[in-house]
Amino acid sequence: MEPTVVDHRAAPIGLTQAEADARRRRGESNAEASGGTPGYLRILRVQVFNFYNNILFVIGVSLLALGRYNDAFVSVGLGLVNAVISSVQVIRAKRKLDHLQLLGRTEVLVLRDGREAGVFPEDVVLGDVLVIRPGDQIVVDGPVVGDGGGPLVIDESLLTGEPDGVPKQPGDDMLSGSFCISGRGLQLARDVGEASYAQRLTAEARRPAVDKTPLQRRIEFVIRLVMVLVGLMSAAIVAQAALEGVTLLRIVQISAVLSGLVPYGLFFLIAVAYTVGATRIATRGALIQQVNAVESISNVDVLCTDKTGTLTSGRMSVQHVDVLDGNEAADVERLLGSTARSTADPNTTVRAIVAALPGEAWAVREEVAFTSSLRWSALATADGVWVLGSAEALGIDDPELETVVAERAGAGLRALVFARAVDPEAALHDAAGRPQLPALEPLALVAMADELRDDVEETMAGLLGAGVEVKVLSGDDPRTVAVLAARAGLAVGVPVAGSALGGIDDAALDELVARTTVFGRVSPEDKERVVESLRRQGRYVAMIGDGVNDARALKHAQVGVAMRSGSPVTRDVADVVLVDDSFAALLPARREGRRIIDGIATSMYVFLARVGTQALVILTVTLLGLGFPYEPTQVGLTLLTVGVPTLFLTFWAQPREPDHNLLASLARFVIPAAVITAACGVGVYTFIYTRVMQGLSSSSVPEGVIEDFQRYTGLTYTDADFTTASATIGAQTGLSTFVTLASFGLILFLEPRTRFFAAWTAPNPDRRPSILVTALLVAFVGVLYTPFLSDYFGLTGPARPMVVAVIPALVLWFVALSAAYRWRVLDRLLGIGELPHGVASRS
């Protein structure tokens, strides 16, 4: 059976309105594809009504029903605030992606019922014939058909990154998302809706693709581990309390305290730190669009970038004009300058020639504009026909000229031949209107050079010095790109052409990508494959792009970076936008990211030390049968021991190298701190509990003491539970006081001002942490001595038994913890030898 031959030059008649309506009902319209991002209900379910928040909400509602409003606020408040922040961030990202579109909504012309009719792009249907005019956007995929009245020139730069117009003849495909520069023609709608290039690209760009950073994954692991341990411990303690006949109110309060052991505030801290970091980075020329990109930038160890706009400024200059034998240099340079000045639509090459050479504008009778497919341009004037293009495109067979061209290309220069037509009356178009070259006489060889950006060498040195490998992915000749990359400071090695990437398997591709710095003549698909290869090799990849064709590669990289001058689609899908189009902004952004990581890592030590201490205290006191050591309101003191300190420590952190053994370092700090603090805390609790029990059981209790405990407990002296309740609240106050003061001491261990506290890490010249500890100490003393505040936090006023118990315990705690850190007691017990010491290595 013979294949069907389509005559694209036949005069098309278009569809009738009835046919178009029928196809629309069958779903064959250019309607925008739906979906791609999660719905609002799903976002709320995931961010607000997750497992942990649901537990908090049940506890909060129970406490509200029992009239314990302060307990409910303290127990649920932080989780709810964090859920709201997370939801707002996700909804904001969803709305941005939902509004992302490559096609505009300007009316287009179609042939309906034999005449032109204006319709919106979504109303175009399969088989429609569209009328294409200058300035129109192509909204569907399909070939040029018929003879629309003149040659079409299409701007595909939004899709391919190539700035030059592409001529289209009948039968040539036009892709949705491109624009008509000149000419008038007709297009058959072959691929519409989800099948069109623009909508496929938009759907891919809308796909949520947020990579969790290494720190986020570590924090999630730690929190999940803590949740499992707290869940097991809670089940045992609550079951024991229920068997002992404890009231429902007490069971709910115990549950609230236990749920508070999960360091959920870390997520809140990260959100705040990312926001502040993004604000600081914005002042350095980088706009953060994905909040975790603040941290991601600091993890990047390989940067993929194009040549134009990053290594080069996008401007060109004339380096040499080699006038060929038999021609006068001044005359040829003036002819070349005049040709450039007479060009109707000058590109960067032509503008560079105008700036470098003399000449005057001529009257032009015929012109062929430069395109990336032709690789030449030409003018016909009264004095002759003048052509400028690559030697290969002009078909000039001159061995000597080819040698000079190769030398210029090897020096990183773009070599163009300036020629004159042998016949001064030669035509530049054939009978069908297609560009044609006349017989030529070469006059000169023009060597053009891309200008490197002013800051590129310094930026490249900074990136390489920071351990970031740079790979250049360009559409230009790999030899030229390699020379420019070498001028920028890269060790280029052997450049590779994009054609070498096709047809090889992943293993061979990984090997090639690992050893190659410069890739030339690469397509958008090649860029995507290089990024995926680097990720398979365990690299943390940042990709810089500006055109729509770069959007998929940006989505596949851990950090997508777009130029502000790039396409709107690329900017919308990017994690970071370079406001000044300079990748020099990545260096300060990277330093800020490392500062954020260091601050959050330090905060994890504080958070987990508190969690470990409270868990051990609860277990031990419960096993001893001395009541429950915490009230929900007392947990609110973590605002002073964890909340405020971690916030300031994060903001004051230094841009240090991230600790790749963070979990091991956490264990080495937290386990000794939790064990020693819990042991001393249980000692304080037990001492005060037994002293109060004994004192209230004697017959010589001062009246003032009884009145104070009646106010603290809400019971009377004659109530059966009065003595136990009084002993419990007194012991809880002593325990809370000791743990709070010890928590302040841990800050000094983490950020020691002097060698006195430098058991865990080297002294830090920054005085602010010490000032912070002093301020927190004053605030806590104010809580103890202010009745309203002490009542709010469920504490008694300061008393002599508390002082007698707390001060010796603090001295013992400091000595024991200093010895544990200085002598690496945990390492010796576990026999793990010398490991990188995380925070201890910061000096």
Side-chain angles (χ1 to χ4, degrees), residues 471 501 504-516 519 529-538:
K471 293 186 181 293
L501 305 181
I504 61 176
D505 59 21
D506 288 347
L509 177 64
D510 293 348
E511 182 181 351
L512 179 63
V513 169
R515 68 171 186 263
T516 304
F519 297 86
R529 289 194 69 198
V530 170
V531 169
E532 290 176 342
S533 171
L534 289 167
R535 293 197 62 164
R536 280 196 303 271
Q537 298 172 54

Side-chain angles (χ1 to χ4, degrees), residues 532-587:
E532 290 176 342
S533 171
L534 289 167
R535 293 197 62 164
R536 280 196 303 271
Q537 298 172 54
R539 308 298 296 275
Y540 209 93
V541 186
M543 173 72 197
I544 301 179
D546 54 3
V548 173
N549 58 314
D550 294 324
R552 292 179 60 181
L554 263 66
K555 294 280 286 187
H556 281 77
Q558 280 102 334
V559 184
V561 183
M563 299 291 191
R564 184 182 183 182
S565 61
S567 72
V569 170
T570 308
R571 292 199 305 269
D572 284 344
V573 303
D575 303 305
V576 182
V577 175
L578 301 178
V579 177
D580 299 320
D581 285 353
S582 171
F583 77 140
L586 293 179
L587 279 172

